[in-house]
Amino acid sequence: MGPVFVGRVAELIALAEAAERGGLAEVVGEPGIGKTRLLTEFARRAEKRGLTVRRGRATEYEREMPYRAFEEAFDPFPTGDRLVLAREVRAQLAAAAPAVLILDDLHWADPGSIELLAYLLRRPLPSERVLLVCAYRDRQGGVRLPAALAEAGPAAVPHTRIEVPPLALADAEALIGNRPGLRALYAESGGNPLYLEALAGQEDRGSGHRHDLTGLLLGEIALLSATELLVAQSAAVLGDEFTPDDVAMVLDSPHTEALGRLAARDLIRPDGNGRFRFRHPLLRRLIYEKADPAWRMSAHRVAARELTLLRAPVREVAHHVSRTASRHDPGDLKTLMEAAREAIMVAPAAAIDWLTAALPLVGDLTDPASVELRVLLARAYTFDGQLEAARAAMHELLPHLPVGTRGEVVAACAVVERLLGRYQESASLLAAEVGQGGKGAWLHRELATLRLQMGDVAGALSEVAEAIAAADAPEEEAAAHSLLAFTAAYEGNPQASGEAIAEARALADGLSDAEVMRELTCLSRLAWAELFMELHADAERHARRALALARPLGRSGILADVLTAAAQICGRTGRLTEAITFGQEAEDVAHQSGSPTLLALVQAIHAEALSFVDLGRAVHLATRAGESVAGVDGWWSATTVCLSAQVLLVAGEPDRARWMLLGIGGGVGMPQCQPGYRPMWLESLTQAALGCDEIAWASAAASAAMAAADALTLPAQRAFALRAQACVRLAEGDQRTAEALAEQAIGLFSDVNMRPHVARTLLMTAGARTDAHHALATAKNIALDIGATVLVEEAEREQRRLAARAPRRGELLTRRERQIAELAMTGMTSKEIATKLLLSSRTVDDHLARVYRKLGVSSRAALAGVLLS
C-alpha cells in the first residue's frame, strides 16, 4: 500500500466489508479529494482476493454518449433495447460473481447510464456477491443520479456510504515529503490531495504567489510550449481517453515528443492499454476551455470527418458534429438524424441531445425536414419518459399539420396526455380532431378508453360503436370489438361481455401476427376482458401472444399493459414465481414510460403477487403506489388504491386500508369502484373493518358485497362476497354459518383455479371449522405447493397456537383490543394511542376497560405479564 493510502485505511476496510456482502457502496467527496485513487487501490486489492473487477467512468464532455459510464467496464458492451441491454449487463455481473463494478465520476453520467444503474439497484442479484461502487461529487449529482440511488432503499440492497475525508497532516507529509512550510501548505490545501500536490509543485517551481486550485492548474498549463498546449488541447477535444494516433488524426502530424513531454510533466498518464488520460478531469476541462473556440470547433470538425472516413460508429461522429453543426454542410443534419434514429430505442436521451443540436440546421415548420425532426424529437422525449416535453413538442407541431395527415401525432399526443392523467385534455384533443374532419377508428377507440377511464361507461360504449363502424381493416375491427368486450367486462355485465368476448376472440384469433402487430390492443384488451370475467386460460393465451409480439416493438405503454395482465393472471392462479417475474418486467417498462399513474398501477399489481412471498417488499411497493396517485381521479388510480389497501391489510394495517378503501370507493358500498371487481374490494373493506373491531361496518360492507356479486354471477367475485360474510358471522360468534359460507367460497375459488385464495380462505376461517387442524394443514400444503411463503408462515403460526393445551389469556382479545393493549404496555397514553390509530381517546379507554375485564388485571403495568406469558 502506497503511503498516500495510510489515511484511507478506514475507507478501504469499509469497501472490503461491502464487497463481502454485495449491494451498493457510495463513495462521495469534493473534486481532488482522492476518490479515484482510493478506488484504484481498492480494485487492486479486490483482484488480489480473487474478485472480478469491472471499472468504468463518466466524463464531462461526453454526457450525450449513451452508457458511457458502463462501456469501459463491459467489452464488448451489450446491444439491444434498454431492457434487453440491462438484463444482459446484470447477467454478465452474475456470471462474474463474486465481482465488483466500479463506476467513477457519476456526477457526469449520461441518462442511459443512470437508468441502467437504477435497474441494477431495483433488480439486485439475489444470491451472488456483487458490489456496485458509485463514486461522485455529492453537490453535482443533479436530479437523475439521486433518484437512481434511491432505488437502493428499504427492502432493496445492502447500502454503504463512504464520505472521503481530507488527508491528515501525516498523510500530507507522506504525499509531498517533509519540507519547510509543510504545515502551511497542508492548512492552505485543507487536506485535499490534488490541491496539496499543486501547491507543492508551484513551490518547487519557485513561484511565490498563491492561487486557488484552478489557478494552480492554470499555472501548470501556462508553462507549456505552444506545441505542447496544442497537443494537449487536441487530446482534450478527443475525449477522456486518447491515443497518439488520435492526436495525429486531429493535428495531421504525430507530435510524439510533445506527448512525451506532457506525460513527463504528469499532465497526462498512460492508462496501461495503449491510451492516455489526463491526470485529473479538472485539468482536461481547463485545457479544453482554454482553447480558442473557433479552433476547438475546427478540431471537432476534423475529428468528425476523420472518424467518418474510418467508418466509426455514427454516435462517435455525432458527438463531434453536435459541437460544430452547420447549415452549410448537409451531411451534419444527416449524421445527427441517423445517430438519433439509431439511439432512440436504446438511449433516447442521447437522441434528444443530437436532435436538439440539429434544430438550428432546419427551417420553420413549413420545412418538411423540420417537421420530420420535430416528430422524431417528440418520440424521443416519449421514449425517455419526458412526457411533459413530448406533450409540448407535439402541441407545437399540431397547428402546422393539416387534418388528415397528422393522425399519428394526434394519437401520440392523446396517449401522452392520458399517461399524464390529463384525461379531459386528451378527450378534448381527440374530439376536436373529429370535429375538424379527422377520421379513423383509432380516434373513437382512444376516446372510448378515455370515457371509460373517467367513469363515463355510456359515452365509452357510444365511441366503441363509432369505432366498429369506422373500422376498415381486420385488425381495427378486432381492436374495436376487444374494447367493447373490455368495457362490458369492466361493468360486470355477464351477458353483454360474454357475447362481446366471443366476437372479439373470433376476430383476434383469425388475424395473422403481422396484422396483430399493427393493432396490439386487439389482444391486450381482450386478455383483460377475459381476466375480468375469470376466463383465465383464454386470458393467458391472448396475453402471451400479445407479449411475444409486443416485446420487439419497444412501446412501453402497451408492453406494460400486457405484462401486467400476465402478472395478474399468473398471480391469481397460483403461479407466483411467474407472476413476480412478469411484474418486475412490467415495473421496469413502466419506469421508462414517464407516467406516474401507469407506474403506480403496475407497482400495485406487482405488490399483489409479492404479498404472498415477500410482504416487506410488497408493502414498500404498495405504499409508493398509493402515495403516487393520491388526489388523482380515474379508474387506474382507484384500482391502484384498492390493490394497495389489500396489501396493507394483509400486512396488518387495517386502519390505513379501511380509510383508503372508503375514500376511493365513495362510502361503505364503494359505488365509485369498478363494478366488475366491486365484491372483491368490498370484501377487503369488510376485513379492514373487522380488523378495527367495527363489526357493524363490516356487516354492511359484506352485505353490499353479496348484492354486487348477485348481479355479476362470477364465481370468484361471489366467493369474495361469501368469504366476507363468513368472517362477519365468525366475528359475531355464529361459527356454524361461518363454516358453511367459507366452504362455498372455497368451492368457487377452486372452480376458477384461484389457489392462493383457497389457502387464504382456509386460514381466515379456520376458527369457524370443526376440524381446524385439517383446514390449517390443507392451507399450508397449498401454500407450499404454490410457493406462498407468507401463507406458509401464517399457517404454521396458527398451528402452533392451536397446538397449545389451552388458549393463553391474551388470545381472548380481539385484534383491535390486542393492538391497543400492546401499545399501552409500552407506556403510551390513551391520547397517544388514539392519535396513532386515528381513534378518539374515549374509544381507546373503552377498549382498555374490556381488556382489563377479559384478562383479569386492573392496571397497564400488569398487562405485560399476561400478554407475554
Side-chain angles (χ1 to χ4, degrees):
M1 181 174 73
V4 73
F5 284 99
V6 171
R8 298 287 187 244
V9 171
E11 288 72 33
L12 286 167
I13 290 173
L15 283 170
E17 291 174 347
E20 285 294 325
R21 61 180 178 270
L24 169 68
E26 295 179 61
V27 177
V28 299
E30 62 183 81
I33 201 67
K35 299 185 296 296
T36 299
R37 292 191 192 192
L38 172 65
L39 295 178
T40 299
E41 178 64 18
F42 167 64
R44 185 184 69 80
R45 292 179 171 211
E47 286 179 331
K48 284 186 68 174
R49 293 171 57 204
L51 276 72
T52 303
V53 177
R54 296 178 182 266
R55 192 166 184 180
R57 67 188 297 174
T59 53
E60 183 174 13
Y61 294 112
E62 286 78 31
R63 277 183 275 187
E64 87 286 7
M65 297 290 282
Y67 306 108
R68 182 75 175 190
F70 284 84
E71 278 188 330
E72 184 181 349
F74 294 86
D75 186 21
F77 192 67
T79 58
D81 70 29
R82 289 181 286 173
L83 277 181
V84 170
L85 184 151
R87 291 193 199 102
E88 178 59 27
V89 166
R90 187 178 183 276
Q92 287 191 32
L93 283 173
V100 174
L101 173 60
I102 299 172
L103 302 172
D104 202 356
D105 289 332
L106 280 179
H107 48 280
W108 287 324
D110 62 277
S113 292
I114 291 178
E115 180 181 86
L116 178 50
L117 172 63
Y119 174 86
L120 293 176
L121 294 173
R122 194 166 58 246
R123 300 282 169 257
L125 296 159
S127 56
E128 297 87 353
R129 285 191 293 123
V130 177
L131 176 67
L132 300 179
V133 184
C134 300
Y136 60 95
R137 300 175 191 169
D138 209 3
R139 298 178 184 176
Q140 298 178 29
V143 176
R144 291 193 189 219
L145 180 58
L149 293 172
E151 295 292 342
V157 298
H159 189 176
T160 302
R161 180 180 172 90
I162 299 170
E163 297 189 17
V164 182
L167 294 176
L169 178 61
D171 304 314
E173 180 181 344
L175 179 61
I176 63 172
N178 190 357
R179 60 173 69 206
L182 171 64
R183 287 182 178 275
L185 290 175
Y186 172 72
E188 188 168 351
S189 72
N192 183 298
L194 180 64
Y195 195 7
L196 182 62
E197 287 181 312
L199 284 167
Q202 183 201 42
E203 189 172 85
D204 292 342
R205 294 191 297 270
S207 173
H209 184 63
R210 290 284 190 260
H211 296 282
D212 61 13
L213 178 57
T214 299
L216 288 168
L217 295 177
L218 286 172
E220 287 189 66
I221 295 168
L223 297 174
L224 300 177
S225 68
T227 300
E228 290 167 346
L229 180 60
L230 183 64
V231 170
Q233 288 170 339
S234 300
V237 164
L238 285 164
D240 186 54
E241 291 182 329
F242 54 91
T243 66
D245 289 341
D246 294 333
V247 174
M249 176 185 71
V250 174
L251 295 178
D252 202 24
S253 58
H255 290 289
T256 306
E257 292 182 3
L259 280 170
R261 291 195 294 273
L262 291 173
R265 290 178 180 276
D266 197 29
L267 293 175
I268 63 173
R269 292 173 174 172
D271 208 16
N273 58 357
R275 296 175 175 271
F276 287 92
R277 286 185 190 269
F278 283 92
R279 184 176 87 226
H280 194 274
L282 181 56
L283 195 58
R284 178 198 173 193
R285 175 184 179 184
L286 294 173
I287 290 172
Y288 182 86
E289 293 179 349
K290 187 175 175 60
D292 176 74
W295 175 88
R296 197 165 60 216
M297 290 179 67
S298 175
H300 278 298
R301 184 157 288 282
V302 170
R305 183 181 66 242
E306 294 297 323
L307 287 169
T308 300
L309 293 174
L310 291 170
R311 299 185 181 276
V314 69
R315 67 178 184 278
E316 293 184 20
V317 180
H319 165 67
H320 293 285
V321 168
S322 64
R323 283 155 174 77
T324 180
S326 169
R327 298 184 76 168
H328 298 288
D329 188 339
D332 287 356
L333 177 61
K334 180 182 176 183
T335 296
L336 293 171
M337 291 284 283
E338 182 182 347
R341 288 194 189 93
E342 186 180 280
I344 195 166
M345 298 290 289
V346 178
I352 291 166
D353 284 334
W354 290 322
L355 292 169
T356 302
L359 278 172
L361 309 185
V362 296
D364 60 22
L365 285 165
T366 61
D367 176 4
S370 178
V371 172
E372 181 186 3
L373 187 152
R374 289 166 197 273
V375 168
L376 190 60
L377 180 59
R379 286 185 62 216
Y381 279 131
T382 303
F383 281 124
D384 195 42
Q386 297 188 52
L387 298 186
E388 291 284 2
R391 175 181 180 271
M394 286 186 279
H395 276 290
E396 182 183 7
L397 268 173
L398 284 173
H400 301 275
L401 301 176
V403 175
T405 66
R406 63 184 191 176
E408 181 182 349
V409 178
V410 171
C413 191
V415 169
V416 166
E417 296 276 22
R418 175 160 56 83
L419 289 174
L420 285 168
R422 293 173 173 154
Y423 307 127
Q424 193 57 59
E425 290 87 340
S426 184
S428 297
L429 176 67
L430 294 167
E433 186 71 6
V434 172
Q436 293 173 25
K439 295 181 180 179
W442 64 267
L443 270 169
H444 297 288
R445 290 201 310 273
E446 185 62 28
L447 271 169
T449 301
L450 286 162
R451 301 293 185 215
L452 191 60
Q453 182 69 264
M454 294 185 289
D456 180 7
V457 178
L461 289 171
S462 174
E463 293 295 343
V464 170
E466 294 285 351
I468 291 172
D472 57 8
E475 64 271 17
E476 288 194 341
E477 186 179 5
H481 279 280
S482 292
L483 183 54
L484 177 61
F486 180 92
T487 305
Y490 168 89
E491 272 290 274
N493 187 322
Q495 182 175 350
S497 59
E499 294 170 356
I501 286 172
E503 179 71 16
R505 186 186 297 147
L507 291 168
D509 289 348
L511 296 176
S512 68
D513 285 352
E515 290 171 321
V516 170
M517 288 181 73
R518 290 196 289 269
E519 192 46 75
L520 273 169
T521 60
C522 70
L523 289 179
S524 63
R525 297 281 169 73
L526 175 57
W528 277 110
E530 289 167 331
L531 174 58
F532 290 160
M533 300 309 291
E534 301 170 11
L535 303 169
H536 296 132
D538 290 324
E540 183 170 357
R541 177 169 63 86
H542 291 120
R544 288 189 182 276
R545 185 185 179 196
L547 190 56
L549 299 174
R551 277 199 174 109
L553 298 181
R555 299 176 192 167
S556 59
I558 188 71
L559 182 55
D561 187 39
V562 176
L563 285 164
T564 306
Q568 195 159 68
I569 294 163
C570 291
R572 292 190 174 173
T573 53
R575 286 161 299 151
L576 298 175
T577 301
E578 280 188 279
I580 291 168
T581 300
F582 282 132
Q584 286 178 340
E585 186 179 354
E587 190 184 350
D588 292 332
V589 174
H591 269 284
Q592 295 177 349
S593 75
S595 170
T597 52
L598 173 61
L599 176 59
L601 178 59
V602 168
Q603 287 178 325
I605 290 176
H606 186 193
E608 180 185 30
L610 271 173
S611 68
F612 291 96
V613 175
D614 184 347
L615 196 51
R617 181 66 178 157
V619 170
H620 176 66
L621 278 180
T623 301
R624 288 176 62 177
E627 291 171 350
S628 296
V629 297
V632 179
D633 294 328
W635 169 47
W636 277 8
S637 57
T639 302
T640 298
V641 171
C642 289
L643 286 165
S644 299
Q646 278 188 335
V647 172
L648 294 173
L649 177 61
V650 171
E653 297 192 47
D655 279 315
R656 285 179 65 190
R658 173 178 59 163
W659 293 116
M660 288 170 70
L661 291 166
L662 287 171
I664 203 70
V668 174
M670 302 188 73
Q672 296 174 9
C673 287
Q674 177 183 347
Y677 274 180
R678 193 171 289 153
M680 180 171 66
W681 304 140
L682 284 164
E683 192 263 344
S684 296
L685 180 58
T686 301
Q687 303 301 342
L690 289 172
C692 298
D693 280 351
E694 299 287 357
I695 296 177
W697 279 35
S699 180
S703 296
M706 188 58 73
D710 287 341
L712 294 174
T713 66
L714 293 173
Q717 292 303 314
R718 185 166 187 82
F720 282 117
L722 288 165
R723 189 166 77 186
Q725 294 271 10
C727 290
V728 170
R729 295 295 174 267
L730 181 59
E732 293 173 340
D734 185 356
Q735 293 187 344
R736 180 177 296 181
T737 304
E739 182 175 16
L741 292 168
E743 275 301 309
Q744 293 179 55
I746 289 166
L748 291 171
F749 279 134
S750 298
D751 288 346
V752 288
N753 197 32
M754 290 177 65
R755 299 182 73 203
H757 283 288
V758 171
R760 182 155 276 165
T761 306
L762 285 165
L763 287 170
M764 293 168 71
T765 61
R769 296 181 169 271
T770 51
D771 190 351
H773 290 281
H774 178 71
L776 292 174
T778 304
K780 181 179 175 180
N781 288 336
I782 294 171
L784 284 168
D785 190 43
I786 64 177
T789 53
V790 171
L791 296 185
V792 171
E793 292 167 3
E794 186 178 344
E796 289 175 345
R797 282 196 303 271
E798 292 300 319
Q799 284 177 325
R800 287 193 297 270
R801 186 174 298 173
L802 197 62
R805 292 183 180 179
R808 291 178 294 180
R809 284 191 285 168
E811 294 174 9
L812 299 174
L813 306 181
T814 66
R815 278 177 286 183
R816 173 64 87 188
E817 288 168 350
R818 185 172 184 85
Q819 184 182 35
I820 290 173
E822 288 174 346
L823 292 173
M825 190 174 70
T826 67
M828 290 178 68
T829 65
S830 294
K831 185 175 181 181
E832 289 170 338
I833 295 170
T835 301
K836 181 177 179 64
L837 300 181
L838 305 177
L839 302 171
S840 69
S841 295
R842 180 168 180 174
T843 300
V844 171
D845 288 334
D846 289 343
H847 278 293
L848 280 173
R850 289 197 294 272
V851 167
Y852 294 159
R853 286 196 301 272
K854 287 183 178 182
L855 301 184
V857 298
S858 58
S859 69
R860 298 184 183 212
L863 285 175
V866 174
L867 291 178
L868 299 177
S869 62

